[in-house]
Each structure stands twice: as C-alpha cells, then as structure tokens.
Amino acid sequence: EAPMRFEAAAYGTQAANTYKYAIDDHSGLVEIDMQPAFRQFWHERKSPLAPANFHLTIAAAVCETAGLVAGKNCLNNVILSGGVFQNTVLLGMILKMLKKAGFNVLMHEKLPPNDGSVALGQAFFAANNL
C-alpha cells in the first residue's frame, strides 16, 4: 500500500528538481547510490513537491545509468520490466527521459510487468522442458 500512496502523492504534481544521487561505474558494475536522495527527501518530506521530486530523481538516475551502460556497449534499446513499472508516474517520467535521450524503449504490452509475467515464463519453461 505504501508505494501506491507515494505514487498517488506525486500524481499530477510537477516536480521542481531532482535530489542528489551518485553513480559508481568504476567496478565494472554500475551502481546507483540513493542515500543522498533519501536524506534530502526526509528533510523535505512535508513539502507537497517531495514525492514528485523523488520520483523525478529515480527517473533521472535510471536514465543516466542507461546512458552509461549503452555508451559502453553500443546499445540503443532499453527494456523496462518489473512491478515498479506499474507506477504510472515513474513510468511516464522514465519513458519521456529515455525517448528524449534517443533510446528505443521496449516494454510490456499484453502482459503485466510484474509477477504475472514471471509466472507465465515459468509455466512456459516447464511446459517446454519437463
């Protein structure tokens, strides 16, 4: 319930800015450190803009990370999947940023992006391998 309430708090609100975050790509594995963003959000938690700003921060971090990974690997496609993409506020922000950056974005059209697709994949695997 908490993620849905957080999404609802951001819905229809224009984010004013992103919070700070750090991206580490020195170890060969790209990691996003959201601790600074959580601290900033906590200090601004009573502001009506805080939920939208936090969503925008996550979207910016995802887009920046996609750019880093794509640049290193000469990729142009980004696939969005997982239950987090049921959050329409976050999904809309990420789609807008990725498309503006020139990415070809692929995502679910006929199946849900969450556990329903995992279960279908497991059933498909079992049907073809048992």
Side-chain angles (χ1 to χ4, degrees):
E1 182 180 338
M4 292 187 298
R5 291 181 74 172
F6 195 57
E7 175 188 7
Y11 189 82
T13 303
Q14 184 67 33
N17 62 304
T18 59
Y19 297 134
K20 292 182 174 101
Y21 59 90
I23 296 180
D24 177 7
D25 67 339
H26 297 92
S27 63
L29 192 67
V30 179
E31 295 180 29
I32 303 170
D33 180 0
M34 293 294 289
Q35 289 182 44
F38 281 112
R39 280 190 214 98
Q40 280 185 277
F41 172 76
W42 184 252
H43 285 108
E44 296 181 10
R45 68 188 180 276
K46 294 185 180 183
S47 166
L49 295 177
N53 288 344
F54 195 81
H55 277 76
L56 185 63
T57 302
I58 294 171
V62 166
C63 193
E64 185 176 344
T65 302
L68 287 170
V69 172
K72 290 180 180 181
N73 299 289
C74 298
L75 301 172
N76 190 42
N77 293 325
V78 173
I79 300 170
L80 303 179
S81 185
V84 69
F85 293 109
Q86 289 184 295
N87 179 325
T88 58
V89 172
L90 185 61
L91 177 61
M93 290 176 173
I94 291 173
L95 279 173
K96 183 178 178 179
M97 288 180 178
L98 288 173
K99 287 181 179 181
K100 185 177 179 179
F103 285 103
N104 179 38
V105 181
L106 306 168
M107 52 190 272
H108 296 267
E109 291 180 0
K110 296 181 181 180
L111 298 171
N114 61 355
D115 292 346
S117 291
V118 173
L120 180 62
Q122 290 169 335
F124 179 82
F125 181 83
N128 288 288
N129 293 289
L130 297 179

